[in-house]
Every structure is written in C-alpha cells, then in structure tokens.
C-alpha cells in the first residue's frame, strides 16, 4: 500500500502508541477500527494487553512480542509477571509495558510523538514529552466483573490516567458526566462504523451454517459478544413470539449456563458462534432486524454499542433497549427503543413491528445515510485533532495514490 508518499515531510519518524483494551487480533472493535485508520496518517504501534511471561512465545525474531502487521503498523505484546493484574502488581506490569514501548520505538527507529491509552494499561508516561490522550471506551469500574479485575483497583487506575492525560476523550454522554465528576472536561468521540463494509450485504454469499429456508421469513438477529451485558430474557421473548432468531458471536463460558443452552436448542434459534469480521455481511444478509438487547446496568448505560450502527450500515432495522448513547443518535423511527421497565414482551412486540416493516429502497437509504454520518473516518478526525495530527497528510496520500 502506497502510504509513505502521502505523509507530510518530517513526519516519517513519528510514532503513535495505541494501548488497546483487547488484543489487536481479537474482535474488531473500537481499538482496532481506530488504529487501522490512524495508521493511514502516521506510523502506529498497537500495544496489546500484557500476557504472563509464563506464556511468552519464544523465537520471535522481532524481539519480545514485537511483530509487523503491515507497512507503518506494528503490534507489541508486552509480558507481565505471574499475577501481574493483582492490585499493586498491576503497576509493575504497567512499568514493564512502558519500558517495552520505549525499546520497541528504538528498535523501529521511531520517535514516539503521541500516546493513546484506551484499556486499563497505563502507558501514558512511557515517553516524556509525547502528547497523551486517555480514550475511555467503557466504564472500567462498572465492568470490573466482565474483565476479572477488582473495582477499586480499576477505579484507581482510571483516576490516575484521567489526571495525567493531556486530553480526555470518551465514547458516550454518560462518560462525559463521569469525567466531570472527576474534575475533567472530556471530548465526546462516540463509536462509529465502517459504513462501506456492508454495501454489498444483499448479494453476499449465503452462510453455509444457516438453513436456506430462513430466506423465506423475516429474521431477527444479534451480532456481538454474548456475555453478561446481554439480557437473555429479551432474546427468549423474541423466540417465544415465534420469530426466527440468529445469534452471531462468541459466548462467555459462564454466561447463563442453563438458559442459554435451552434457548439455542429451540428449532427456530440458530447460534453460529464467533465469525471473522469479513464474514459478517453474509450473516447480516440473513437478518432483517438487528437486536441490541442490553441489560439495564451502569456499564451498558456508559457504553456506545457498535452493533446498532453496523445494523444501520447494512440497511437493517434495529430494536434496542433504551440507552443514553442510542438517544444521542437521535435516529427517530430508524431505531426502535424499549425502556428497561417495559419488559421482554414490549421488546418482542417492537421486534414484531420492525420485522413487519417493508425494507424499501428509501428506508434502506435513510438507514445507511445515518450510519455514514457516524463513519469511523469521522471519529478518527476528532482523535487526530485532539493529538494535533495533521489530517492534510491523508489528503496528500489520496492524491498521490490516484
């Protein structure tokens, strides 16, 4: 890919460090989407959550966990001592990660100019003088049980990073208020979507693990992680109403050990497990109405679900529980919302109404137009602005590539 010709003069040796909350090769969420687009503007080193040195992979010719992804993008997987996420030990883990970042930059011959910390790993002080951004994509404290860490420990880590960062960005209105309660003003940079990824959804190959007869009936579907964030009662209500239901995504091992197996054993319910990102258009071809069935929790109220925008980008209808982020979208009739107090029956009724709505060319166009307003490219422009990254480099690259 011809990227370097488009960099502004003097920027080639600059390096942006992005410490994500998930591994780069994991589910393509906020961290991966933002990183890929930032790497079109400047060289990027993506830092995975550290892994125990007991699981360190030997023989990596790039050194301890440093591997190239493609031109201008590298991935660093730092190592942590055994038990490195315990309270107290987490600071040692962070210090080791900061040292690994400095060593990686030297090995690459790059000068770190910006640092973004998205997950719970505090790398903000890795390189003195670098611009720093704390990018809050979730309420870590409220989600402590989901990531297996102590709430108090995460609260201290969050407070420390919020205080130290030059700039603060958050993904939801709820997190803006949380930042204010901590004495900081935050820039709202909501999650986005790859609006062009689903333009060919209606001609995508039919998935081999779903029956062809699903093409003959309106289908409700869910795409994403199946874990404690998901209200299984809402999914059960959709199945009880007799609507075909497709579930796409990995299930957390301890999620609803009795109810989930019972749900997916029903004749009209099809769970296909985790799928690669580039396979999602095929599954969204099958789905007529996408579901965002979140529980009413502090963690979910602070979130900004990617799936809602991805459903819209595919031209699909959406039924979602009522979340602050969904209200912020101001989607009107394009997203049907159900308040937590209305219960599973109301959710199933909203799904029935949406499934009965004809998918006209005009309606699909309106859905996709809304998704386009929230494309990841727009979000990355905001982040680049916060870090004083020159967006003109991208324009020059596009001209050079013609």
């Amino acid at each position: 890919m011809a990227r370097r010709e488009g960099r502004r003069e003097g920027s080639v040796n600059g390096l942006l460090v992005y410490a994500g909350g998930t591994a780069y090769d994991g589910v393509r969420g906020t961290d991966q989407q933002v990183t890929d687009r930032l790497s079109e503007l400047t060289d990027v080193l993506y830092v995975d959550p550290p892994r125990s040195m007991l699981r360190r992979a030997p023989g990596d010719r790039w050194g301890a966990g440093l591997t190239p992804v493609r031109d201008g993008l590298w991935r660093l997987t730092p190592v942590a001592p055994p038990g490195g996420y315990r309270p107290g030990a987490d600071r040692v883990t962070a210090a080791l990660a900061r040292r690994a970042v400095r060593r990686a930059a030297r090995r690459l011959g790059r000068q770190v100019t910006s640092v973004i910390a998205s997950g719970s790993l505090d790398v903000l002080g890795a390189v003195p003088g670098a611009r720093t951004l704390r990018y809050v994509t979730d309420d870590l404290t409220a989600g402590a049980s989901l990531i297996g860490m102590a709430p108090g420990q995460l609260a201290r880590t969050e407070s420390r990073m919020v205080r130290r960062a030059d700039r603060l960005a958050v993904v939801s209105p709820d997190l803006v208020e949380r930042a204010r309660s901590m004495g900081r003003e935050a820039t709202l940079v909501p999650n986005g979507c790859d609006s062009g990824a689903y333009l060919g959804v209606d001609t995508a190959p039919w998935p081999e693990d779903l029956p062809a007869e699903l093409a003959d009936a309106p289908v409700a579907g869910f795409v994403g992680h199946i874990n404690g964030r998901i209200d299984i009662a809402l999914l059960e209500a959709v199945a009880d109403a007799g609507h075909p239901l497709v579930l796409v995504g990995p299930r957390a091992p301890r999620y609803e050990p009795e109810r989930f197996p019972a749900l997916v054993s029903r004749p009209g319910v099809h769970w296909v497990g985790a799928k690669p990102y580039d396979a999602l258009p095929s599954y969204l071809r099958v789905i007529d109405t996408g579901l965002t069935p979140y529980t009413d929790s502090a963690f979910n109220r602070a979130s900004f679900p990617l799936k809602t925008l991805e459903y819209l980008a595919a031209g699909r209808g959406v039924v979602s529980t009522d979340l602050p982020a969904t209200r912020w979208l101001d989607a009107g009739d394009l997203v049907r919302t159900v308040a937590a107090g209305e219960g599973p029956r109301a959710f199933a009724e909203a799904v029935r109404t949406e499934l009965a709505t004809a998918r006209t060319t005009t309606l699909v166009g309106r859905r996709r137009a809304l998704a386009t307003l929230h494309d990841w490219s727009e979000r990355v422009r905001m982040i680049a602005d916060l870090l004083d990254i020159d967006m003109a480099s991208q324009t020059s690259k596009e001209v050079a590539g013609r």
Side-chain angles (χ1 to χ4, degrees), residues 92-109:
V92 175
T93 297
L96 290 173
R98 290 193 288 269
R99 185 175 70 175
V101 165
R102 292 191 292 271
R103 287 180 171 178
R106 287 196 297 269
R107 195 171 296 127
L108 295 172

Side-chain angles (χ1 to χ4, degrees), residues 204-259:
W206 189 269
E208 295 182 356
D209 49 1
L210 287 176
E213 55 264 28
L214 287 177
D216 299 326
V219 176
F222 169 86
V223 179
H225 280 277
I226 302 170
N227 55 26
R229 303 181 68 181
I230 305 306
D231 189 342
I232 195 169
L234 303 182
L235 297 176
E236 290 169 336
V238 173
D240 288 342
H243 304 305
L245 179 62
V246 170
L247 307 175
V248 183
R251 172 205 175 198
R254 289 182 287 183
Y255 176 70
E256 297 292 350
E258 295 180 0
R259 293 172 70 179

Side-chain angles (χ1 to χ4, degrees), residues 190-361:
N191 280 334
C193 67
D194 186 348
S195 59
Y198 304 103
L199 292 178
V201 62
D202 293 317
T203 56
W206 189 269
E208 295 182 356
D209 49 1
L210 287 176
E213 55 264 28
L214 287 177
D216 299 326
V219 176
F222 169 86
V223 179
H225 280 277
I226 302 170
N227 55 26
R229 303 181 68 181
I230 305 306
D231 189 342
I232 195 169
L234 303 182
L235 297 176
E236 290 169 336
V238 173
D240 288 342
H243 304 305
L245 179 62
V246 170
L247 307 175
V248 183
R251 172 205 175 198
R254 289 182 287 183
Y255 176 70
E256 297 292 350
E258 295 180 0
R259 293 172 70 179
F260 186 76
L263 173 65
V264 299
S265 68
R266 301 190 192 191
V269 179
H270 307 270
W271 176 43
V272 297
K275 297 296 175 182
Y277 182 77
D278 57 7
L280 295 185
S282 289
Y283 291 92
L284 284 166
R285 173 186 174 180
V286 180
I287 294 169
D288 296 282
T289 295
L291 309 180
T292 307
Y294 281 14
T295 60
D296 183 26
S297 66
F299 185 79
N300 284 339
R301 288 192 294 274
S303 71
F304 196 106
L306 296 170
K307 57 183 61 60
T308 297
L309 286 172
E310 290 176 337
Y311 297 147
L312 291 169
R316 271 44 189 170
V318 184
V319 176
S320 173
T321 45
D322 190 20
L323 300 168
T326 306
R327 292 195 294 272
W328 178 87
L329 279 176
D330 194 24
D333 63 336
L334 299 181
V335 177
R336 296 183 188 274
T337 58
V338 179
E342 295 183 69
R345 287 187 180 180
F347 191 88
E349 178 59 23
V351 171
R352 184 197 66 77
T353 302
E354 191 60 42
L355 287 173
T357 301
R359 195 196 306 162
T360 64
T361 302

